[in-house]
Amino acid sequence: MKPRPILFLLLLSVAVASAPAARAQDKGSVDPKPLPPLANPNDPKLGAKELFGRKVLPAAMPTRVLGFYAHGCIAGAEGLPINGDNWQVMRLSRNRYWGHPDMVALVKRLAAKARKDAGWPGILVGDMSQPRGGPMFTGHASHQVGLDADIWLTPMPTRKLSRDEREEMSAVMMVREDKLDVDTRVFTPGHLAVIRAAAQEPTVQRIFVNAAIKKALCREARGDRNWLHKVRPMYGHDYHFHIRIRCPPGSGECESQPDPSEGEGCSAGDLAYWFKDSVLHPKPPKVPPKPKPPMTMASLPAACRAVLAAPDAKQ
Ligand SMILES: [Zn+2]
């Protein structure tokens, strides 16, 4: 399916903390062009993404989460190895396989559980955060503090993917053309098992999936359903799901979000909004919204300046 730029812009303005923009299916390049040096890196109007997007390694500092999922940064992030027993990292050119050590550990645990619970060879990991977090050139409003990760809704193949395949391969669309339910030819009990395994992790606070997937989980979850309340409907998220963990203990500078309410969120009323025609098929606005100015350093915690200025961590 082709991206729809108007819808994309519209949705970006709707949900700052969880924009739909993380398109697992967008391709990358094995040979990305390095970004040119900035003429005036101290310009207060400069988009912070220009500064964070030029850092290829984490800050050599103790781990600190600074700010909120959608406006912050991280010091001392850890890299997820690009190959593990049960995982492979996709779109390596984006250099977004960094996160808080707790998030890295969680992805590794989830990878093992995908094998055990779903019988998958493993998981394909999409975007986590940039080496120092912060806003990005493309996609995501969140993923800025090392506490968010996207997991493809496609099992890992049994072989090691090439660099090229990791840029070119597409995830599988899980939602039916009419957007009212999952496509049962591709959505399997294994998908449910992997999402459930993630939601049952105590540190996971929220999981974002397309409303059609939430509806399917509500219908198909057997036994313990206590994890369902963490799984929240969201625009997009039909090729991948998004995991968000709480502020880790001792992260006093991390801005937390309240826990989602305890209800399963499975009633027709809970899901009604998402299946309204105006939400499924939004009309393009008559006047295209003005592009928002980029997030500047002034929107981020002051300590993020020190994170940018720190030397590269040794890897
Ligand atoms: Zn995401």
Side-chain angles (χ1 to χ4, degrees):
M1 219 171 80
K2 281 236 171 93
R4 296 167 58 186
I6 294 168
L7 173 67
F8 181 72
L9 282 175
L10 181 81
L11 296 181
L12 262 185
S13 63
V14 171
V16 171
S18 36
R23 301 183 63 100
Q25 72 277 24
D26 286 353
K27 292 179 181 175
S29 157
V30 266
D31 189 23
K33 299 265 171 304
L35 295 165
L38 291 166
N40 185 1
N42 298 318
D43 178 355
K45 290 207 192 76
L46 184 71
K49 63 187 175 189
E50 300 282 352
L51 300 163
F52 284 96
R54 281 172 170 75
K55 293 292 176 188
V56 293
L57 287 168
M61 295 168 75
T63 304
R64 274 167 80 188
V65 177
L66 298 160
F68 190 62
Y69 301 95
H71 45 86
C73 66
I74 177 168
E78 188 180 317
L80 176 69
I82 60 171
N83 294 300
D85 287 344
N86 307 114
W87 76 86
Q88 296 185 43
V89 176
M90 302 302 284
R91 304 294 189 263
L92 298 174
S93 62
R94 296 183 186 175
N95 194 25
R96 293 178 183 169
Y97 42 86
W98 306 87
H100 188 278
D102 288 2
M103 179 50 108
V104 172
L106 180 133
V107 172
K108 292 178 179 175
R109 266 199 314 279
L110 179 64
K113 277 197 191 163
R115 172 161 228 146
K116 204 167 136 271
D117 296 0
W120 287 11
I123 53 174
L124 296 176
V125 182
D127 287 355
M128 295 168 64
S129 295
Q130 299 180 120
R132 302 186 191 199
M136 305 179 191
F137 281 106
T138 54
H140 327 285
S142 66
H143 289 251
Q144 293 195 23
V145 286
L147 306 179
D148 295 284
D150 289 343
I151 308 296
W152 283 30
L153 286 163
T154 304
M156 187 187 89
T158 45
R159 65 195 174 78
K160 195 161 133 188
L161 295 167
S162 69
R163 284 293 301 250
D164 206 51
E165 285 174 306
R166 292 179 201 225
E167 302 297 339
E168 289 287 323
M169 203 180 122
S170 274
V172 176
M173 169 53 117
M174 291 290 126
V175 174
R176 221 161 64 184
E177 192 105 1
D178 67 6
K179 302 184 184 177
L180 296 175
D181 212 322
V182 291
D183 181 345
T184 50
R185 292 169 303 178
V186 291
F187 187 83
T188 65
H191 291 88
L192 181 146
V194 172
I195 296 170
R196 181 182 57 207
Q200 284 176 334
E201 284 282 340
T203 58
V204 169
Q205 189 179 37
R206 278 182 174 72
I207 287 179
F208 299 119
V209 296
N210 189 274
I213 297 175
K214 169 80 189 191
K215 187 169 153 184
L217 297 173
C218 288
R219 183 174 59 227
E220 289 161 29
R222 302 278 173 270
D224 172 26
R225 290 172 63 91
N226 254 329
W227 52 277
L228 275 169
H229 73 279
K230 292 187 186 175
V231 184
R232 319 295 294 172
M234 188 46 66
Y235 302 99
H237 295 83
D238 36 19
Y239 291 84
H240 75 270
F241 69 102
H242 176 133
I243 302 175
R244 174 170 293 171
I245 61 172
R246 287 194 189 84
C247 288
S251 307
E253 299 149 300
C254 174
E255 216 180 295
S256 62
Q257 222 180 348
D259 281 348
S261 62
E262 282 296 315
E264 287 181 359
C266 287
S267 72
D270 290 333
L271 292 168
Y273 166 81
W274 295 97
F275 293 107
K276 286 200 304 195
D277 192 57
S278 56
V279 174
L280 289 180
H281 307 107
K283 287 205 178 63
K286 284 203 182 81
V287 186
K290 268 201 203 137
K292 275 201 218 153
M295 191 175 282
T296 61
M297 288 305 290
S299 313
L300 304 179
C304 287
R305 290 175 196 277
V307 173
L308 277 174
D312 286 343
K314 287 200 179 62
Q315 290 298 311

